């Protein structure tokens, strides 16, 4: 289903930004291309003036003495200022008289016996009360400003309360996606030296229960063996799971709220104090803790939320981002960027096909969702499930559609545009990364003419370019490295505990510039077309994985001697995972049935080491891996084989096929 490179290159459809009336928006905040161009030029020539004005729309305890202090690779934004992100998300709305307005609409996955979904609405008053209580509870447990609190929860309102409470008292959070394994918790908790974990007894997912607390218990036990003590585990009871209770260490989320005062002043945070760590995969080693700070991240996510989605308070808007808060999209565009804009944000607990394939469309119709932000992998799944599902529901409330996480193929873009947006809603295809904190290249819905498959033009203040290895800008339609030449407020401030890796990964390949890891080209109109990662990172269903990470997981299995992992085209996931594995002597399967058994065992093993998203789609046993003379695995060749390249499509899953590899290797080396 994914379109070929050729068809993307030939893509010449154009969709001018609709009028505000056509899109059923009250107004466009950036209403034309000339406004975009004027503001973008200003933001690049005078970034300090531009961002200083934006920052004044938010609350600061103490103003900055300087907007930007930049010395590659270190940016300081709003130097000397103090603020609090939780204050700007919650208290400010209460103080301005909007305490009774809905901040978060939440819907649970299970549908009750009466056919009614479980819905909770939290006003800014509710949030202020519960966040303050939970913040006091954290303090009472000894959590202090500067500590790192680990959060491993499902999509429940309590995860938002926990994150905001950390921000309120100046503790950084490290949220771990609930689909990650015990081992992933151990690695992240250890790296962050975190002593408090907030979790749920379990999470509902597609009708079953994910036992989160059990994974935490196992992780804490492993951590103790490694000499790291987790002092507190706070458990929100969601599914009524009976789990082991460690008195003294374990605390009930609900009881903590009941026992705590609802008065908790917001800590005055320096603009450059840490707000959160978020672990993401890189091309080498274990996932790294991407470090984000307070002031710049807050201003960047606030402005991008406002302008990319055209958020306007008191305009009957209901914004829904379908991501999990375990990813940066959930941090920036479920909570931190949206709440300061005073538009209610919808949080959904579960899967898009629970109980049936029309769950999202049913929710859009029932809640009258106006803004919908999802991932291409989900869109491709919806297409496959069939048009009858969206067609059953009234989607006329929709005004703006968003896409994020990976390149969207033109076919999926067109389907989204026509079938979900009735050819009326602009699509914003937002390119950004965990490291960038917020949107970097994106259309503005009232201004930008869109082209299916292109994330279009840089956001304000973003100096993105396509360059060669020495930093020279490439001519139009010539592929190159995507870099950002100037600092932006939401940029990462480091890799936690690893200065060297920060510099090596982002500021070394193209000296003086931030290197994104993506390859891209720009067309004659200056539009960006992302071609994908150029490092050993693969993007599986919009989730980032390092090929090395999956390889180490495979090699840690007794039967495996060596493994090479590459991406391959996948109809739904965009990129799937192919693993080439050499087995230990004596582990070779005796029959095809044995081979299947072993492959399944290896998949389960990877799932245990990393999480289910890392399970290889394809495993091939091979007596050796093709290597260059210098011993480097020939990944390009493996990618060709995994993607079923025409020249080598014979059944490559059997052992004899190694001769094919060997022959290819000889020809490569000749
Ligand atoms: C990588 C970042 C952005 C939050 C979710 C993923 C790819 C992301 C797009 C897009 C083409 C995209 C890039 C990027 N990517 N958005 N709109 N078009 N590619 O964050 O896990 O940090 O991954 O996702 O390859 O480098 P992430």
């Amino acid at each position: 289903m994914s379109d070929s490179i050729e068809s993307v290159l030939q893509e010449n459809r154009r969709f001018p930004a609709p009028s505000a009336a056509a899109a059923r928006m009250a107004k466009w905040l950036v209403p034309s291309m000339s406004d975009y161009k004027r503001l973008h030029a200003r933001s690049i020539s005078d970034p300090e003036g531009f961002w200083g004005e934006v920052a004044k729309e938010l609350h600061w305890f103490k103003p900055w003495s300087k907007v930007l202090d930049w010395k590659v690779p270190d940016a300081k934004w709003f130097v000397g200022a103090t603020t609090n992100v939780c204050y700007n998300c919650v208290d400010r709305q209460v103080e301005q008289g909007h305490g009774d307005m809905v901040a978060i609409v939440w819907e649970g996955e299970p549908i009750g016996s009466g056919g009614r979904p479980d819905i909770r609405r939290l006003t800014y008053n509710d949030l202020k009360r519960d966040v303050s209580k939970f913040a006091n509870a954290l303090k009472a447990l000894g959590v202090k400003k500067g500590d790192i609190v680990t959060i491993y929860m499902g999509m429940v309102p309590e995860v938002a309360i926990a994150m905001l409470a950390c921000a309120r008292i100046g503790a950084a959070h490290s949220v771990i996606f609930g689909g990650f394994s015990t081992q992933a918790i151990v690695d992240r908790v250890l790296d962050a030296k975190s002593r408090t974990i907030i979790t749920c007894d379990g999470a509902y997912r597609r009708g079953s229960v994910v036992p989160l607390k059990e994974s935490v218990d196992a992780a804490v036990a492993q951590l103790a063996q490694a000499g790291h003590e987790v002092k507190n585990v706070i458990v929100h009871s969601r599914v009524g799971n009976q789990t082991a209770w460690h008195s003294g260490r374990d605390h009930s989320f609900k009881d903590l709220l009941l026992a705590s005062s609802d008065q908790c002043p917001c800590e005055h945070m320096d603009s450059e104090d840490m707000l959160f760590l978020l672990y993401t995969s890189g091309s080498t080693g274990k996932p790294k803790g991407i470090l984000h700070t307070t002031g710049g991240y807050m201003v960047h996510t606030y402005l991008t939320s406002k302008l990319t989605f055209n958020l306007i308070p008191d305009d009957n808007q209901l914004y829904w981002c379908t991501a999990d808060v375990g990813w940066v999209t959930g941090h920036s565009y479920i909570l931190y960027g949206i709440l300061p804009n005073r538009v209610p944000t919808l949080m959904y607990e579960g899967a898009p096909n629970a109980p049936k394939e029309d769950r999202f469309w049913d929710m859009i119709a029932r809640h009258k969702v106006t803004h919908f932000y999802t991932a291409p992998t989900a869109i491709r799944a919806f297409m496959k499930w069939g048009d009858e599902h969206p067609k059953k529901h009234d989607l006329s409330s929709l005004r703006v559609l968003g896409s994020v996480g990976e390149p969207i193929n033109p076919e999926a873009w067109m389907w989204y545009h026509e079938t979900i947006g009735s050819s009326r809603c602009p699509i914003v295809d937002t390119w950004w990364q965990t490291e960038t904190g917020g949107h970097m290249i994106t259309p503005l819905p009232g201004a930008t003419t869109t082209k299916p498959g292109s994330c279009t033009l840089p956001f304000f203040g973003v100096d993105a370019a396509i360059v060669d290895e020495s930093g020279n800008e490439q001519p139009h339609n010539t592929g190159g490295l995507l870099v950002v030449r100037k600092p932006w407020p939401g940029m990462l401030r480091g890799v936690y505990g690893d200065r060297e890796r920060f510099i090596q990964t982002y500021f070394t390949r193209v000296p003086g510039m931030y290197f994104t890891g993506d390859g891209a080209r720009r067309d004659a109109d200056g539009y960006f077309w992302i071609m994908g990662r150029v490092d050993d990172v693969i993007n599986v269903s919009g989730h980032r994985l390092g090929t090395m990470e999956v390889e180490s997981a495979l090699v840690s299995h007794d039967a495996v001697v060596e493994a090479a992992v590459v991406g391959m085209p996948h109809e739904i996931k965009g990129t799937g995972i192919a693993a080439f594995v050499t087995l230990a002597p004596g582990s070779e399967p005796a029959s095809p049935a044995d081979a299947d058994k072993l492959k399944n065992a290896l998949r389960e093993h990877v799932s245990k080491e990393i999480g289910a998203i890392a399970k290889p789609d394809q495993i091939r046993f091979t007596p050796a891996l093709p290597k260059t003379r210098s011993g480097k695995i020939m990944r390009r060749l493996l990618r060709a084989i995994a993607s079923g390249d025409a020249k080598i499509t014979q059944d490559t899953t059997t052992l004899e096929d190694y001769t094919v590899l060997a022959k290819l290797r000889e020809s490569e080396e000749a």
Side-chain angles (χ1 to χ4, degrees):
M1 195 185 293
S2 69
D3 314 47
S4 67
I5 297 280
E6 290 69 32
S7 77
V8 172
L9 274 171
Q10 284 158 19
E11 178 59 57
N12 52 20
R13 285 169 287 198
R14 302 277 181 280
F15 296 86
S19 70
R24 296 184 197 153
M25 283 294 312
K27 63 168 175 173
W28 295 125
L29 297 171
V30 181
S32 72
M33 202 54 207
S34 56
D35 288 307
Y36 163 79
K37 282 189 175 146
R38 179 175 48 80
L39 282 162
H40 189 262
R42 153 110 210 273
S43 71
I44 295 295
S45 65
D46 176 22
E48 300 198 40
F50 177 85
W51 287 111
E53 271 166 41
V54 175
K56 284 188 188 139
E57 294 178 27
L58 295 166
H59 172 273
W60 303 78
F61 296 112
K62 185 173 138 219
W64 48 91
S65 55
K66 199 163 181 279
V67 172
L68 172 64
D69 193 356
W70 170 237
K71 203 164 155 275
V72 187
D74 300 301
K76 291 194 179 105
W77 283 89
F78 309 107
V79 181
T82 60
T83 185
N84 186 290
V85 171
C86 179
Y87 187 93
N88 276 285
C89 287
V90 181
D91 299 52
R92 189 163 158 267
Q93 318 298 7
V94 173
E95 248 129 75
Q96 293 182 350
H98 307 295
D100 288 333
M101 293 186 52
V102 174
I104 297 178
V105 182
W106 174 84
E107 181 161 315
E109 185 188 91
I111 305 266
S113 48
R116 279 171 190 271
D118 189 3
I119 295 171
R120 283 169 64 189
R121 290 191 171 79
L122 286 84
T123 64
Y124 293 101
N125 280 334
D126 295 337
L127 262 187
K128 187 176 172 199
R129 184 196 58 233
D130 287 354
V131 168
S132 297
K133 285 180 167 214
F134 194 66
N136 279 326
L138 288 174
K139 284 206 258 187
L141 292 174
V143 177
K144 294 184 306 294
K145 181 172 172 175
D147 288 353
I148 299 169
V149 173
T150 298
I151 299 179
Y152 182 71
M153 300 174 83
M155 285 288 284
V156 285
E158 285 70 18
V159 73
I161 291 168
M163 290 165 76
L164 289 164
C166 287
R168 193 170 190 89
I169 64 172
H173 51 68
S174 162
V175 181
I176 304 175
F177 172 56
F180 279 129
S181 65
T182 293
Q183 188 57 46
I185 305 174
V186 170
D187 295 341
R188 287 156 175 78
V189 167
L190 212 48
D191 187 74
K193 296 169 220 52
S194 176
R195 301 214 173 265
T196 300
I197 303 181
I198 309 171
T199 188
C200 296
D201 57 347
Y204 289 116
R205 186 76 193 174
R206 204 166 289 125
S208 58
V209 166
V210 186
L212 299 176
K213 171 66 160 53
E214 273 172 34
S215 301
V216 169
D217 283 341
V220 173
Q222 263 193 58
L223 284 159
Q225 278 176 2
H228 178 84
E229 190 203 352
V230 172
K231 293 214 168 88
N232 300 299
V233 175
I234 302 171
V235 187
H236 168 64
S237 170
R238 165 63 185 142
V239 300
N241 242 4
Q242 298 298 319
T243 56
W245 198 258
H246 302 255
S247 59
R249 187 201 77 184
D250 291 356
H251 313 272
S252 142
F253 196 107
K254 196 165 122 222
D255 293 348
L256 289 179
L257 283 192
L258 285 172
S260 305
S261 147
D262 62 2
Q263 298 297 312
C264 177
C266 289
E267 199 68 40
H268 292 209
M269 301 302 289
D270 185 273
S271 187
E272 287 302 335
D273 277 339
M274 176 162 51
L275 178 66
F276 65 85
L277 287 183
L278 188 55
Y279 283 83
T280 189
S281 299
S283 35
T284 52
K286 294 272 185 194
K288 53 198 169 190
I290 301 301
L291 194 157
H292 282 288
T293 59
T294 301
Y297 173 83
M298 173 176 82
V299 172
H300 187 177
T301 53
Y302 160 73
L303 189 72
T304 45
S305 298
K306 178 171 164 172
L307 300 186
T308 302
F309 300 116
N310 210 60
L311 296 187
I312 301 174
D314 308 315
D315 185 38
N316 277 318
Q317 298 190 353
L318 177 60
Y319 165 95
W320 182 18
C321 165
T322 67
D324 189 285
V325 283
W327 310 108
V328 73
T329 308
H331 284 58
S332 300
Y333 299 108
I334 293 179
L335 294 178
Y336 290 130
I338 309 300
L339 291 172
N341 276 290
R342 198 159 55 77
V343 164
T345 178
L346 174 65
M347 251 178 107
Y348 169 57
E349 179 177 40
N353 52 353
K356 291 204 213 74
E357 284 80 1
D358 67 341
R359 182 61 182 267
F360 279 10
W361 322 124
D362 181 45
M363 285 181 62
I364 289 173
R366 277 191 286 108
H367 291 278
K368 300 204 172 17
V369 170
T370 53
H371 294 68
F372 181 66
Y373 191 29
T374 196
T377 184
I379 296 169
R380 289 189 294 265
F382 302 145
M383 288 170 76
K384 198 170 173 185
W385 293 340
D387 290 9
E388 64 271 25
H389 301 293
K391 292 253 156 76
K392 272 200 297 239
H393 299 278
D394 175 7
L395 305 181
S396 63
S397 58
L398 289 170
R399 305 182 199 176
V400 176
L401 301 176
S403 173
V404 59
E406 50 175 318
I408 177 165
N409 47 308
E411 190 187 350
W413 195 102
M414 288 304 301
W415 183 87
Y416 199 28
H417 179 66
E418 289 168 358
T419 311
I420 305 306
S422 304
S423 306
R424 164 179 66 73
C425 304
I427 293 181
V428 289
D429 173 5
T430 59
W431 178 88
W432 59 295
Q433 309 176 293
T434 305
E435 292 88 340
T436 69
H439 299 158
M440 297 295 277
I441 307 179
T442 176
L444 299 182
T448 314
T449 292
T450 50
K451 307 180 186 183
S454 167
C455 52
T456 77
L457 298 165
F459 190 76
F460 300 136
V462 174
D463 183 22
I466 311 291
V467 300
D468 63 17
E469 302 273 347
S470 2
N472 302 312
E473 205 156 352
Q474 295 286 81
H476 289 150
N477 285 322
T478 308
L481 307 174
L482 176 60
V483 296
V484 187
R485 293 181 291 202
K486 293 210 178 85
W488 65 97
M491 74 190 288
L492 79 164
R493 301 300 197 265
V495 170
Y496 188 70
D498 200 341
R499 174 84 181 162
E500 199 39 42
R501 195 168 176 194
F502 172 57
I503 295 170
Q504 273 303 322
T505 313
Y506 305 108
F507 294 96
T508 302
R509 180 129 175 209
V510 189
M513 302 176 191
Y514 169 82
F515 170 54
T516 62
D518 279 351
R521 70 181 170 91
R522 251 185 133 158
D523 67 19
D525 298 324
Y527 277 43
F528 284 83
W529 299 78
I530 307 295
M531 290 159 21
R533 303 286 308 195
V534 295
D535 50 10
D536 291 324
V537 168
I538 47 181
N539 194 326
V540 180
S541 302
H543 301 319
R544 228 160 109 173
L545 288 167
T547 50
M548 291 251 305
E549 222 182 321
V550 184
E551 286 163 8
S552 332
L554 284 164
V555 171
S556 71
H557 190 281
D558 286 343
V560 177
V561 170
E562 203 176 17
V565 165
V566 295
M568 58 173 214
H570 187 284
E571 196 186 0
I572 302 291
K573 299 177 178 183
T575 306
I577 304 174
F580 294 79
V581 169
T582 56
L583 294 170
S587 295
E588 294 95 347
S591 67
D594 274 1
D596 284 345
K597 235 197 235 151
L598 183 55
K599 285 178 189 176
N600 280 334
L602 292 178
R603 278 197 194 94
E604 282 316 309
H605 180 73
V606 172
S607 178
K608 209 180 107 236
E609 288 292 307
I610 304 173
I613 50 171
K615 278 190 198 177
D617 297 278
Q618 243 187 47
I619 296 180
R620 294 159 194 254
F621 297 135
T622 163
L625 291 169
K627 287 182 188 163
T628 61
R629 280 213 187 93
S630 60
K632 276 188 106 175
I633 293 172
M634 298 165 75
R635 290 173 184 281
R636 200 161 45 85
L637 171 58
L638 295 180
R639 271 195 292 270
I641 294 167
S643 60
D645 189 307
K647 294 189 294 286
I648 36 178
T649 43
Q650 302 95 326
D651 184 10
T652 42
T653 54
T654 59
L655 298 180
E656 293 79 36
D657 292 319
Y658 179 65
T659 53
V660 177
L661 295 185
K663 276 190 196 126
L664 273 162
R665 179 182 54 174
E666 282 159 21
S667 68
E668 280 267 333
E669 284 183 350

